Structures are given as C-alpha cells and as structure tokens.
Amino acid sequence: MIEATALPGLPEVEPGADLAGLLRTAAAPIGGLEPSDVLCVAHKVVSKAEGRVVALAGVVPGDWALSWAAEWHKDPRAVQVVVDEAAEVIRADGGRLICRTRHGFVCANAGVDRSNAGGEDLAVLLPLNPDGSARALRAALGCAVVVTDSFGRPWRVGQMEIAVGCAGLAPLDDQRGLMDRDGREMHATLIAVADQAAAAADLARGKAAGQPAVRLRGLGHHVLSGDGPGAAALVRAREQDLF
C-alpha cells in the first residue's frame, strides 16, 4: 500500500530560506520523516529558496521576443526569460514555446512558470541542478527526495507531475530480462518510478492549497542507501529520440 500525505502549514518560501528546516517542521504534525519515506517537493519552493526567481520589471526583451510576443499576444519580458533559459527552442508555434532545457528536459517554456510565483510580476525558473537540490535536501532530511514539476505529454491531453530531481530513490525499475507471467522475456519494461512517485504525490495536494510537499510511504523497496543516479537517468538520449 502506498500512502500519500501532504505536509501542512508550509509558509511562503523566500530566497535563502532554510527549506530543509521548513519541510522538517511541516512534517512534524504528520509524524515526521523516516528513512524509508519519499518526500516529493514541488520545484517552485526549491527554486524560490535557491533564488531562481526573476522580476520581469528588470527584463529587457530582445527583437525576437518582441516580435513573437506581439504575434501571439504574450508578455515579451516573459518570452525573453524563456529564451534565456532555453538551451534550444525546438518549436515556436500556436503561441507555445517548446524548449530543451540545460538539463535535457523537453517542455513548454523551458520550465519557466508564473503561477504561484509569489508575485504578479515574477517568474520562477527551474533549479540549476535539480538532482543536486534533491541530494542536499536528502542529506538534511534523511529520506529520499523527489523534486517535481508539471509537464505536458506528447499525444496526451493534460499535465502531470514528473521528477526533475531525485535523490535516494531509484528513478527507474529495470525489468528487462525478467519473465512475464506467460514465461516470455520482457525486453522493454523500464518503469519510471520517480515520475510515478511524483504523479502520485500530486494527487494528494491542491495546486493552490499551499501544499508543495507530499510524503509518500510504501515505496521503501525502491529507496536507495545512496543518492543514486538522479532524475538525469530519466532523460532520453537525443540519438534515441525518434521525434
């Protein structure tokens, strides 16, 4: 059985905040954190604590951002932030910017998000090193940590939470080479454990409820003694990307 419990009472996180301390305090009313627990933390509070927030008032948009924003009725300052964060703009069409980030993620707006940013004229960026952020939190809290973000999915409607950072949890469960119930060898079964943990955690909180962290119990068989390879292991190599 997997149990998902949102941490109550986490305050607005400011740059430089002791996020691990805030999470530890918020977990106390629900029994704290154990080594076999997995704590899923929305990247926005991680980014805020790390100062990865941009005030749009100080952004000067370039020519491309001005032109594209005018065509699609967007804020050119926000468009410029996306361009600055993108390692590559893969598609710019229909008012959407699909980008590859420095981490290798392919997502809308290079992960730049203005919702729940803490202010009207602010934009939150992805952490510079989400796996590093997860490892630091794990070291301080003593449990596995998954840093999450909402991504859209090709061929599917709607967004879901995925792992952008991970420490102490096996990100993948490789079942290739095992036999199925009919005795056939499995050749493609590679379960994205960290992504599934992130998605399960998201069902236990509200997007506007001020609950950016969720404790999962029941995943101890996937918890590692060390940090593990992180969410970087979930990024498909470009030479294997058929699309």
Side-chain angles (χ1 to χ4, degrees):
M1 181 179 70
I2 298 174
E3 175 189 290
T5 307
L7 272 59
L10 201 71
E12 179 67 28
V13 175
E14 302 291 340
D18 175 12
L19 181 58
L22 293 174
L23 292 168
R24 188 183 299 108
T25 299
I30 62 169
L33 299 168
E34 298 178 358
S36 60
D37 290 340
V38 179
L39 186 66
C40 295
V41 185
H43 94 273
K44 280 180 184 166
V45 293
V46 176
S47 295
K48 288 177 182 179
E50 295 178 353
R52 295 281 291 159
V53 180
V54 173
L56 296 183
V59 176
V60 179
D63 292 343
W64 188 90
L66 287 167
S67 174
W68 194 85
E71 181 179 0
W72 298 106
H73 309 290
K74 303 289 185 179
D75 185 332
R77 304 169 303 168
V79 173
Q80 186 61 51
V81 174
V82 171
V83 172
D84 291 343
E85 281 297 295
E88 176 186 1
V89 177
I90 296 174
R91 188 79 179 265
D93 192 14
R96 294 178 290 269
L97 291 171
I98 306 301
C99 307
R100 190 181 306 276
T101 72
R102 61 171 56 85
H103 324 87
F105 307 138
V106 176
C107 58
N109 298 326
V112 176
D113 198 341
R114 295 177 64 183
S115 65
N116 295 319
E120 179 64 28
D121 227 23
L122 301 176
V124 182
L125 317 179
L126 287 173
L128 283 173
N129 180 1
D131 281 332
S133 302
R135 290 167 186 148
L137 287 173
R138 176 179 180 264
L141 296 171
C143 66
V145 173
V146 177
V147 178
T148 75
D149 192 13
S150 296
F151 274 39
R153 301 159 299 154
W155 312 296
R156 304 286 287 182
V157 174
Q159 293 77 40
M160 65 175 289
E161 209 76 358
I162 70 161
V164 295
C166 179
L169 182 73
L172 293 161
D173 180 11
D174 191 350
Q175 299 183 17
R176 294 172 296 184
L178 301 179
M179 298 297 175
D180 69 10
R181 293 177 61 186
D182 297 322
R184 296 187 182 89
E185 182 178 347
M186 294 186 288
H187 297 284
T189 305
L190 191 59
I191 307 300
V193 174
D195 282 346
Q196 291 187 330
D202 197 42
L203 294 174
R205 66 180 175 213
K207 289 292 188 184
Q211 297 175 324
V214 175
R215 184 191 66 193
L216 297 180
R217 286 187 166 164
L219 293 174
H221 54 297
H222 292 298
V223 172
L224 305 172
S225 58
D227 286 334
L234 295 161
V235 178
R236 190 183 298 278
R238 295 190 69 170
E239 61 269 18
Q240 296 175 354
D241 188 347
L242 301 180
F243 304 99

